[in-house]
Amino acid sequence: MIDKSKVIFGNKISNKDYKKACKTKAKNIRKYGDDSNENYNIVLRKNEHIGDSLGVYDVLLEDGKSDVEFDTEKGIIVGNIRMGFGHYRISMAMASAAKHLGYTPYWMDLNGYPKTSCTKVISAQNDLYSLGSRLSKNKLFNKFVWEPLNYEGFRKLSYNAADQKNAEIMATVYKNVPKEIPVIGTHAWPAQAAVHAGMKHVVNAIPDNWPMALHFSEGSVHTIQCKNAYMGYRICNGMAGDAVCNPMPNDDLVYTGHYIDHELVSNIEVDCERRIARKKDGKPIRFLLTIGGAGAQKEIFGAIIKYLLPAISDNKAALYVNVGDYKNVWDDLVKEIPGMSEMSTEHFNDFAETTKFSEEALTGDVTGIHGFYHENIFDAVYCTNLLMRSCDVLVTKPSELAFYPVPKLFIKRVGKHEMWGAIHSAEMGDGTLECRDIPHTLQMIDMFMKDEKLLTEMCDSIKANKTIGLYDGAYKVVELAMGLKNK
């Protein structure tokens, strides 16, 4: 078997970079241990939060007996990590599509096994990434460290070589998973670890449309959401500096479209028609502010809320604010913005109540500010999905939410690779350009409220995009994974 850190899609890694990758693995083993000889017991438990809605069973590494046995005919692994909310959100889309298509999704969070070397390595990387996201608010750090790392550093084949060595440490968690069950990785690490562990049918669902070797998991089938990323990935563009790389094999890269939950895709037309009707009838325009796992957008959202308070008071606007599992963000906003608390209704740690509110908002009236906080990560992430259907405009950085079928206002990115999400969305007509400062963000807020065409035209674009299958990516990834098994 070819060492996946020495040769990547036929491209040889230099001895210097290979030795560096090996040293990185050895360093991590010293810090976090080597559990490759462990034989972790696996149990399956119905997920308490999305088990009923999305049909999800958790794959846990613990003592005891399973609620159910692995279904080797209809089962499919969704391998993920928590690094921010994005990979969890994409995983939920895969689980939703799998359930709709008649399969059983098994949830493997490689950052959720605290006793394992795998989780220790990922948690350390997650902490570093979260720190970098927060520090990126510093202009000098962002310009000279964070954006170059996210745009060019992660792009290099040498970076993938190091990741492949670390994935060897992570493979142990798959040891007792039946090897014939298909795996969908919503980050490269779960896909890489699955390949190293000998899983036979692996799909690597790439989240970003800026081609980076970070996302490679050779041995799996790679899927992409946007056609403008296809050629960059196919020829490994810029991944070895100015050198011309050997291309990926044709069958290793598949365009699928956007990874979106069945519940959202199946209701696109009715949700868009309701948005258009609310605009026509002069109802308060509903903005959904969703703060990601790193919480890096609080300053921008604070400015938006302050600006909108008069419009909210006059019933010209309404706000949903989902702070995820970061209650401190909500507390800070209420403390810093005079008058916000008087207009706010808090929906905290009661997912049944959040679900009820979201359902009633589809056809009922909404006024004021509604804050949402859920301690549990599944509730925190899925809350945005529930609120998305009844909102008029989603205000978000151009990351994974850039691909969702709802009108979008893009605030400043966190990492230069994210800018391509806004570019793609603007090209498809379902989102704005990236607003890189607060004045331009507020300009777009005004346009959504006062312009008669902007919101309606975005809704029309979303409906048209659905007819060409733009939002069918999750279905296609699941079908691809099951198809590999059935070949």
Side-chain angles (χ1 to χ4, degrees), residues 78-89 91 107-112 118 122 126 170 186-190:
V78 181
N80 58 74
I81 61 171
R82 181 187 174 177
M83 187 169 281
F85 289 167
H87 303 288
Y88 256 44
R89 190 177 306 286
S91 294
W107 190 275
M108 280 195 74
D109 178 0
L110 272 63
N111 200 15
C118 171
I122 293 174
N126 186 27
M170 302 174 191
T186 58
H187 185 281
W189 294 341

Side-chain angles (χ1 to χ4, degrees), residues 76-140:
I76 188 166
I77 298 282
V78 181
N80 58 74
I81 61 171
R82 181 187 174 177
M83 187 169 281
F85 289 167
H87 303 288
Y88 256 44
R89 190 177 306 286
I90 295 170
S91 294
M92 288 179 180
M94 300 301 177
S96 171
K99 182 191 177 189
H100 173 70
L101 293 171
Y103 302 114
T104 301
Y106 300 117
W107 190 275
M108 280 195 74
D109 178 0
L110 272 63
N111 200 15
Y113 306 131
K115 294 181 180 180
T116 69
S117 302
C118 171
T119 291
K120 292 172 183 176
V121 171
I122 293 174
S123 292
Q125 293 296 312
N126 186 27
D127 290 344
L128 283 174
Y129 193 84
S130 295
L131 176 62
S133 294
R134 294 192 297 273
L135 291 176
S136 69
K137 289 184 285 187
N138 180 290
K139 291 183 178 180
L140 289 176

